[in-house]
Amino acid sequence: MNRNTKIAIAAPLLLVIAAVGFIWPKHDSGPAPSAASQNMPQAEKVARGAYLAKAADCMACHTTRDGAAYAGGRALQTPFGSVVSPNITPDKETGIGNWSADDFWNALHNGKAKDGRLLYPAFPYTNYTAMTRDDSDAMYAYFQTIAPVKQASRPHELRFPYNQQALLAVWRALYFKPAVYTPDASKSAEWNRGAYLVQGPGHCIACHSERNALGASDKGLSGGLIPVLGWYAPSLTSDREAGLGDWEIKDITDLLKTGISQRATVFGPMAEVVRESLQHLSDEDARAMAVYLKSLPNEAGTREPYEPSKEPEAKAFLAAGQEIYRKQCMDCHGEKGEGIAPHYPPLAGNRALTMDEAVNPIRIVLNGGFAPGTAGNPRPYGMPPFSHSLNDVEVAQVVSYLRASWGNNAPPVDSTTVNRYRNVPLE
């Protein structure tokens, strides 16, 4: 049964359930802020909120390209239609200028607007719910200080029945339970800080998690395809993918803060996350995230070895890929795929090449690979795109060669798979 069939079956059933009773409390003022938060000087609270807004990457969704900061309007494509981000500047007519700190908390923690309307989980309140009331109030204080922009929020463009609040209420009953992060007393303060950042403001699960037919995540960091963006967010709990159990803390911290390390380089959507959000973390917070991510339980890191075909056609296919590599790639990545870390990533033993999902290397060959420009890597090296010079078969050949060389052991890809991603938008 494919994804669309599951959705078609599940949606009417959920509407029936919703019709039986649609009861949801309109407002929840939440807990009172702590004494420390109430006594914090306003300038310090605003600065704290600005920092948290970066950590939560609010700008990425609430600002259009060349648009006013936080004025909304960016359409987030989903399998159910487009969710359009709202204006969160303090304009009193079109933004959140008339919101109270309680209203803001209610949005982050409970996923409800000031008027009680249920918010769609494209706004990751399913993760932000872990944030403390003090952090919510600091963010509120910051957003009340930015320049107000009079720009009405556009309506979402969701297909029926996904545009129905009753269906959303049932979705929430099934998949969402508000809960502030509870520290694990058996772990260090640093580990708990990292867990809080990853699970809450960082909302890493939003990408690095498999989703079911109704868009709910599996609550883990086991990896998932981001279908609309056309990238695969690898598992952070498997050494077959992007598990960090055998990494040094410094290498993880470097990757989060700069986008490059001796072990890997970030590309695609993760490059934007590093540029706009993670590079602005303090060294202590970046290290705390690294400590937590390194500690995650590691799934089995091995699989059945792939046995390459000995058919002449298969050998010729890889030989053609080798020739393309020799002409186009070898000068930077080396004759044996050794690379020159961190600027020219090694390809030998590179887990990004050998994952079951080959979409990321396909996209990088087609569209180029560009590490983010960050304070720690202000002049990043980039890989040019080859979509204009290599056809689908040639891209499949060179990616298949990379997946099968220098100790890499993964099945080949075909031109049909390449073609599927050739015209996927870059944003």
Side-chain angles (χ1 to χ4, degrees):
M1 186 182 295
N2 62 34
R3 180 188 182 91
N4 291 334
T5 302
K6 290 179 181 177
I7 292 174
I9 292 173
L13 290 175
L14 291 178
L15 281 176
V16 170
I17 297 171
V20 173
F22 178 25
I23 302 172
W24 202 270
K26 184 174 181 180
H27 190 79
D28 175 10
S29 60
S34 69
S37 176
Q38 294 181 59
N39 295 327
M40 182 181 293
Q42 188 65 11
E44 185 179 339
K45 182 178 288 189
V46 168
R48 178 67 180 164
Y51 176 81
L52 289 164
K54 288 284 190 183
D57 206 7
C58 304
M59 181 81 77
C61 291
H62 290 277
T63 306
T64 60
R65 184 173 295 175
D66 300 323
Y70 300 114
R74 182 169 180 177
L76 309 174
Q77 302 299 325
T78 79
F80 317 106
S82 298
V83 177
V84 184
S85 62
N87 182 346
I88 56 172
T89 72
D91 181 70
K92 292 186 180 298
E93 293 181 20
T94 63
I96 61 171
N98 285 323
W99 285 36
S100 67
D102 285 350
D103 295 329
F104 192 82
W105 159 264
N106 211 33
L108 257 64
H109 185 70
N110 294 311
K112 299 181 213 171
K114 176 182 172 65
D115 59 6
R117 179 173 40 86
L118 303 180
L119 302 176
Y120 285 93
F123 168 58
Y125 60 82
T126 51
N127 303 111
Y128 292 161
T129 187
M131 295 177 65
T132 64
R133 177 61 193 255
D134 287 358
D135 279 354
S136 173
D137 284 0
M139 290 178 69
Y140 170 78
Y142 166 67
F143 281 117
Q144 294 303 306
T145 68
I146 65 177
V149 178
K150 190 174 294 298
Q151 178 173 295
S153 298
R154 294 194 289 116
H156 304 312
E157 299 173 359
L158 294 165
R159 300 188 305 278
F160 180 84
Y162 311 111
N163 57 358
Q164 302 299 303
Q165 286 274 295
L167 182 64
L168 182 54
V170 176
W171 185 95
R172 291 164 58 103
L174 292 172
Y175 302 118
F176 174 56
K177 183 178 181 181
V180 173
Y181 175 76
T182 302
D184 184 338
S186 69
K187 302 291 186 180
S188 68
E190 182 177 50
W191 185 96
N192 276 291
R193 177 62 178 169
Y196 175 77
L197 290 168
V198 168
Q199 296 176 24
H203 61 282
C204 304
I205 286 174
C207 289
H208 291 274
S209 178
E210 191 68 47
R211 293 185 178 269
N212 66 19
L214 289 173
S217 78
D218 63 10
K219 303 297 185 183
L221 291 166
S222 56
L225 188 65
I226 313 173
V228 176
L229 294 179
W231 290 89
Y232 178 75
S235 169
L236 300 178
T237 60
S238 171
D239 281 348
R240 277 179 49 189
E241 296 194 0
L244 303 170
D246 64 347
W247 282 44
E248 297 295 330
I249 292 294
K250 182 182 185 305
D251 287 331
I252 305 172
T253 304
D254 287 348
L255 194 69
L256 295 174
K257 287 275 288 182
T258 70
I260 61 172
S261 75
Q262 292 297 317
R263 296 290 298 265
T265 300
V266 302
F267 298 111
M270 189 62 188
E272 180 184 7
V273 172
V274 171
R275 183 181 68 247
E276 301 298 332
S277 176
L278 296 179
Q279 72 157 320
H280 301 288
L281 294 176
S282 67
D283 291 344
E284 293 78 14
D285 277 352
R287 178 183 163 84
M289 288 181 70
V291 167
Y292 171 70
L293 291 170
K294 180 177 171 63
S295 76
L296 292 175
N298 191 352
E299 300 166 2
T302 61
R303 65 173 142 195
E304 288 296 317
Y306 171 71
E307 187 65 36
S309 172
K310 296 181 171 57
E311 294 296 321
E313 295 82 358
K315 291 183 177 181
F317 189 78
L318 291 180
Q322 181 180 26
E323 184 61 18
I324 294 169
Y325 178 84
R326 188 185 66 80
K327 292 179 178 178
Q328 305 285 3
C329 317
M330 190 171 71
D331 285 350
C332 292
H333 291 287
E335 181 180 1
K336 298 179 180 179
E338 66 275 18
I340 306 174
H343 300 299
Y344 301 124
L347 303 179
N350 191 320
R351 292 179 295 191
L353 291 171
T354 58
M355 292 186 291
D356 293 336
E357 290 283 353
V359 53
N360 293 356
I362 290 173
R363 292 295 305 273
I364 291 172
V365 172
L366 286 172
N367 306 126
F370 302 96
T374 58
N377 185 34
R379 299 181 66 182
Y381 287 67
M383 172 180 152
F386 289 92
S387 59
H388 62 291
S389 59
L390 298 179
N391 62 34
D392 293 343
V393 172
E394 291 169 326
V395 173
Q397 289 170 336
V398 71
V399 171
S400 297
Y401 173 71
L402 299 178
R403 284 165 62 84
S405 301
W406 318 299
N408 296 342
N409 179 250
V413 301
D414 56 41
S415 59
T416 302
T417 303
V418 173
N419 184 259
R420 184 186 311 152
Y421 295 106
R422 181 175 285 275
N423 296 313
V424 174
L426 295 179
E427 183 178 344

